[in-house]
Structures are given as C-alpha cells and as structure tokens.
Amino acid sequence: MTNASAPTYLDANATEPLRPAAREAVLSGLLLSGNPSSVHAEGREARRCLEDARSRISAGFGRISGTCVFTSGGTEADAMAIHAFGQGRRILIGATEHDAVRKAAPNADVIPVNGQGILDLETLRQHLAHGAPTLVCVMAANNETGVLSPLEDVAALCRDSGAHLHVDAVQSAGRLPFSLTECSVALSGHKMGGPKGAGALLLPRDEPIDALMVGGGQERGRRGGTQPLPAILGMAAAFNEAQAQDWSAIEALRERVEQVAVAAGARVAGREVARLPNTSCLILDGVAAQVQLMTLDLEGFCVSAGSACSSGKVAASHVLTAMGETTGASQAIRVSLPWNVRAEQVDAFCDAYERMARRLNKR
C-alpha cells in the first residue's frame, strides 16, 4: 500500500496537476494590478500579457491571434460555440460526446459509434446529404476511453456539405497535434496542467459572433466579463509545456497498465484503435465501478469512473453504452496518467489492481 498521506494521482483527464511553468505564470499574473481593459500604464501591461497569451495559444493551432476568445473553461467554450453556430442550423453530435455538448444541444441528432467508439462516418454522410444548414460537434479525443475521432474525415464531409464543424479538443490539446483550421475548437486550461478557471474558444476566422455572455464588451464583444488574467497566463504556459512534452514515455506506461489489467481479467475499451497516450478505460466484468474506486482509493490511488463532471456520481457510462457495452458500462474505471507520473507509481498501481481483481473478480 502507498503512503496514505501522499496518494498516487492517476486522474489526469479530470484535471492535470499544475505544471511548474503554469504556477509561475499564475503568480506573475497575480502581481499585475491592472485590468486589461484599462487604458493607463498598469492596464496596458495587463493587456500586453493577455494578448501575448492569446497569440501563443492561437499559434499552437495555426491561427491568428484574433481567433482566440477566452472563456472560463471548456464547458463554456462548447456552449458558446453551439450558441454562436447552432442558431438556425440542425445540430449533429457524436454519441460519445461530453455532457458539455450533449446538454447544450439537447435536441441534436445523435450519430452512433461502433464498438471501438469511432464515429459512424456513413451515417454522418447520410445526415449531411440532406443539405440543410448544419452544425456538427465531434470531440477530438474521448475523455473516458481516450479514443481519437477521425477528424480529418469528419472535416472533409463537413467541408463538402457546407456544415460548420465544432471540435471539443479539451482532452487532446497539448497531448496531440491539431492541424484543422476551418473548425471552431474548445479548450480548457486545467486539462493541460494549468489552473482551473480559464479556457478558450478558437474560431475559424477573426469574426464577430453572437455572444453567449454579454457585458462590458470584453473579448471584442464576443464574451463579456473581466478576463481571469492569472489563469489565462497559466493556461498559455501549460499549453506550451504540454506541446513540448515527449508523450511516448507516458504511452509506454499506459501500455504497462493495460497489459497487467488484461492479464488480471480486465478488458480495455477502445484498445484496438488510436487513443490518447495517457488514457485507459478498464472494464472488470462483474465488479461495480464504485467498488473498484473505493478499493483503489483505500490502496492510495486516485482514479475515476468516466467523466469527472457529474457531481461525484458513479453511474453507467453513456460512452460505453453507446459503444455497445451493457453491464460493462457500470463496471469500468478510467486510469489517466498525469504529465508527471513516475514508473514506480505505475508499478505500484499495477500491483494494487492485480490484488483487487484477484479478490473481487468472480469469473
């Protein structure tokens, strides 16, 4: 058992640990007295720092600075995109989308996925063939399974039909390159190793949009409210560090987790397709996710069961249900390795998982 006073954190998809560069950037932002909207010297310095962060994030996605609209996080960025681009359009979403998209577009038509969690492109093509103005919402990488969407193919279908594509890139940003520029993109700072409280919506062009939050005209009238400058500076610093990180070492540790888990009787959701380098969704048939979480927590390991945005509930995963899982949808845990995970931590988790599976698995 690990030291109870220092649990091992393996829940990065809920939030990454704060990166050192992000911490320093936050502290520097806290020392800035000015409001970025003020015209005096202190305000101009705050504005300079804000625009520098905007430029760095935009450049990481191959876009000009004016396409980046800062938000409070990924949920607001998704809601803002659906509000701005969904009005007057039919909305199509993937069956495994995050609740930030599903609940912002409750009347959307849902495109199914296959057993590995990959969007059914033929069904999407058929829906787009109707010719009506359409907004398509597809996540870059699933938060529960890590499965990557075929974004290039989806973008081509949207391009051919004239549909607007919105991509929830909250989990993939910084971990994987992103080359599409004709879509809108939702980002979240704390998923990269920045502080909570900052996110962004990247637009395909520097253009006005119908604001979801109106107010004092900040963000050039596209999102009201004084910008949380310390969190934004931390987000930009974290994004730069995440982009520079060698994720292959994390992926090798993920493979170690999955090999041990499978040998212990587990199944890995989406294992046959491309996934995030840090994410494993482990299904232990016959053992409720709640029991697994409690057992591993007592062993000193922080993991989760699906999304962390459900007020602490552990319920059957809509993602796994959409992938064709029945009982397995309530018997899965997510292990998402953080940027600073160490090999010895993964080895200790593997030992604990083996013990748990041997004791609880009734097969």
Side-chain angles (χ1 to χ4, degrees):
M1 181 173 175
T2 58
N3 186 343
S5 65
T8 298
Y9 185 79
L10 304 177
D11 197 17
N13 287 11
T15 188
E16 281 275 18
L18 190 67
R19 292 175 180 269
R23 180 180 181 275
E24 293 304 313
V26 169
L27 292 175
S28 70
L30 291 171
L31 295 175
L32 293 170
S33 301
N35 185 315
S37 297
S38 298
V39 297
H40 49 60
E42 290 282 359
R44 293 197 304 273
E45 176 60 15
R47 169 66 66 175
R48 183 193 67 77
C49 293
L50 176 70
E51 296 308 322
D52 176 69
R54 193 189 312 275
S55 295
R56 285 192 284 155
I57 292 171
S58 300
F61 287 83
R63 305 179 187 218
I64 61 174
S65 176
T67 61
C68 177
V69 182
F70 285 118
T71 69
S72 64
T75 295
E76 186 192 339
D78 281 328
M80 181 187 292
I82 290 168
H83 176 79
F85 299 110
Q87 296 183 57
R89 287 185 169 106
R90 179 182 53 162
I91 302 177
L92 305 177
I93 69 173
T96 58
E97 295 303 303
H98 192 280
D99 275 350
V101 167
R102 297 192 329 142
K103 293 185 177 180
N107 298 317
D109 292 327
V110 178
I111 307 301
V113 298
N114 65 17
Q116 294 295 316
I118 300 295
L119 196 72
D120 186 331
L121 293 174
E122 182 54 36
T123 299
L124 176 61
R125 182 182 290 107
Q126 292 171 7
H127 276 75
L128 291 174
H130 294 170
T134 304
L135 167 64
V136 177
C137 299
V138 177
M139 62 197 337
N142 187 266
N143 52 298
E144 295 187 26
T145 64
V147 169
L148 306 186
S149 295
L151 286 184
E152 295 288 346
D153 295 330
V154 172
L157 291 174
C158 291
R159 195 179 306 121
D160 292 343
S161 67
H164 178 88
L165 173 61
H166 172 65
V167 177
D168 181 333
V170 164
Q171 291 295 345
S172 67
R175 295 171 177 164
L176 295 173
F178 191 100
S179 59
L180 297 177
T181 56
E182 69 266 39
C183 58
S184 54
V185 182
L187 307 175
S188 177
H190 75 100
K191 306 290 189 176
M192 308 174 191
K196 302 169 186 68
L201 175 66
L202 300 179
L203 304 173
R205 293 168 297 280
D206 182 0
E207 61 185 359
I209 59 172
D210 186 15
L212 176 64
M213 291 181 61
V214 296
Q218 292 90 347
E219 296 297 290
R220 294 166 55 194
R222 298 179 292 192
R223 198 273 189 186
T226 300
Q227 298 92 339
L229 188 56
I232 288 171
L233 298 185
M235 174 181 174
F239 178 54
N240 288 347
E241 276 205 351
Q243 279 189 305
Q245 182 160 351
D246 178 8
W247 289 96
S248 63
I250 302 289
E251 187 170 17
L253 294 175
R254 184 202 72 185
E255 291 301 305
R256 163 74 174 148
V257 167
E258 293 179 0
Q259 289 169 3
V260 169
V262 169
R267 296 183 290 120
V268 181
R271 196 182 190 193
E272 304 304 316
V273 296
R275 289 173 294 141
L276 290 173
N278 76 318
T279 306
S280 299
C281 181
L282 308 178
I283 303 171
L284 192 59
D285 291 307
V287 184
Q290 180 74 49
V291 174
Q292 296 180 57
L293 292 183
M294 292 173 62
T295 301
L296 292 169
D297 185 52
L298 290 172
E299 288 275 354
F301 296 96
C302 302
V303 297
S304 66
S307 174
C309 304
S310 302
S311 301
K313 300 192 301 285
V314 177
S317 163
H318 80 272
V319 172
L320 295 179
T321 300
M323 293 167 63
E325 290 287 344
T326 53
T327 56
S330 59
Q331 298 169 353
I333 64 170
R334 179 185 67 189
V335 180
S336 47
L337 305 179
W339 64 267
N340 59 350
V341 69
R342 303 189 306 275
E344 59 266 28
Q345 293 175 314
V346 170
D347 288 341
F349 171 79
C350 289
D351 291 343
Y353 190 90
E354 282 184 309
R355 289 193 301 272
M356 177 188 72
R358 188 164 54 244
R359 181 160 54 88
L360 298 178
N361 194 342
K362 305 302 182 183
R363 292 184 305 160

